[in-house]
Amino acid sequence: MIRIENLTVTFGGVRPLDNLDAELTAPIAGLIGPNGAGKTTLLNVLSGFVRPVSGTVALDHIDLLALSPIRRVAAGLRRTFQQELVVDDLTLWENVQAIADHVSHSRRGGEQDVERAIAFVGLQRQRHLPGRRANLFERRMVEIAKTLVGRPKVILMDEPGAGLNESETDRLRQLLLAIPAEFDAQLVLIDHDADLIASVCAETLVLDFGKRLALGATRAVLDDPHVRRAYLGNA
């Protein structure tokens, strides 16, 4: 569970987050809004890359803002980015192993974590493939696998479906739906694909100009006229 209270971020005279209050409790929570609404800024605050000027953020009653980014990872926070961070000269297995070296308590446990994550995302046959030869979907799967090692509690995903074709998006959808039960982790998902959000997210938070526009059951949120105007571009 993530609880956000009175969260404000300023960049000069701009407030990408403005006194934001929200509580995300669903196994998979969506985070949507128009460009510039503050979505990635919120993930950066949760990750520790941006420091708010005021407010609190708690992960299962742990004060996230009191922790460094590394200590947040140790507490179970994981993150994917819009740009895949796959090292070209490492194999797909080695890319995931590099993360396990920092979050697992033993080498044996780390190897087991990597094996489980690689199998979960379906990369067993490509495990020895160099990162530079991986296609977009395989690189996305590596990024997801990296979030699954070392007992994650919350996984933040920033547009994992961007650029994927219909078949790949369907495979991604099935993976996302399976993560909470398989790894006992909550997902917070940013994506511009309203169909993907509707099919995997039990609840959705909508931001607009850094403020909370709506929060609730995803279908009801997506059908809200104010949300449709701000996010979908129609009434």
Side-chain angles (χ1 to χ4, degrees):
M1 178 184 70
I2 299 173
R3 178 179 289 112
I4 300 161
E5 295 181 347
N6 301 317
L7 191 66
T8 297
V9 171
T10 60
F11 298 145
V14 178
R15 285 193 172 195
L17 293 176
D18 190 359
N19 292 312
L20 178 65
D21 290 305
E23 187 171 296
L24 303 176
T25 61
I28 307 180
L31 177 58
I32 66 173
N35 290 333
K39 305 182 297 296
T40 297
T41 298
L42 178 55
L43 293 200
N44 286 338
V45 170
L46 297 177
S47 305
F49 303 141
V50 169
R51 189 77 183 175
V53 296
S54 63
T56 62
V57 181
L59 167 60
D60 291 340
H61 307 294
I62 298 171
D63 179 8
L64 275 187
L65 300 185
L67 304 180
S68 68
I70 291 176
R71 290 182 64 195
R72 296 183 201 200
V73 172
L77 191 72
R78 301 289 185 271
R79 168 83 182 270
T80 71
F81 295 84
Q82 293 179 11
Q83 180 66 41
E84 306 83 37
L85 304 177
V86 176
V87 180
D88 288 347
D89 293 334
L90 298 181
T91 67
L92 303 191
W93 170 276
E94 289 167 341
N95 269 275
V96 181
Q97 179 67 55
I99 299 299
D101 289 343
H102 295 284
V103 298
S104 296
H105 297 295
S106 69
R107 182 172 182 81
R108 178 176 174 80
E111 290 178 351
Q112 290 174 340
D113 279 351
V114 175
E115 185 64 47
R116 183 185 183 194
I118 288 284
F120 181 78
V121 301
L123 290 179
Q124 301 98 316
R125 295 178 62 182
Q126 298 98 322
R127 61 200 294 152
H128 299 302
L129 185 72
R132 65 180 175 275
R133 292 177 53 195
N135 61 36
L136 175 62
F137 182 74
E138 290 165 341
R139 294 171 74 89
R140 290 284 170 79
M141 292 302 101
V142 169
E143 291 301 295
I144 292 176
K146 286 157 61 176
T147 71
L148 300 176
V149 298
R151 300 177 184 176
K153 289 185 178 179
V154 172
I155 302 172
L156 313 174
M157 292 192 180
D158 199 346
E159 299 191 35
L164 300 184
N165 62 36
E166 184 176 348
S167 174
E168 292 166 342
T169 299
D170 187 60
R171 291 170 63 187
L172 172 65
R173 180 182 296 107
Q174 299 309 314
L175 283 175
L176 297 179
L177 287 169
I179 286 174
E182 182 70 21
F183 293 89
D184 194 25
Q186 181 184 24
L187 299 185
V188 178
L189 174 65
I190 294 177
D191 211 280
H192 287 287
D193 184 342
D195 290 336
L196 179 63
I197 292 291
S199 64
V200 302
C201 300
E203 69 179 356
T204 294
L205 168 64
V206 186
L207 298 182
D208 193 24
F209 294 106
K211 294 180 177 291
R212 185 175 112 179
L213 180 61
L215 173 61
T218 297
R219 189 67 268 166
V221 165
L222 292 178
D223 288 340
D224 185 310
H226 296 93
V227 173
R228 294 181 67 83
R229 278 193 294 270
Y231 175 59
L232 302 175
N234 53 30

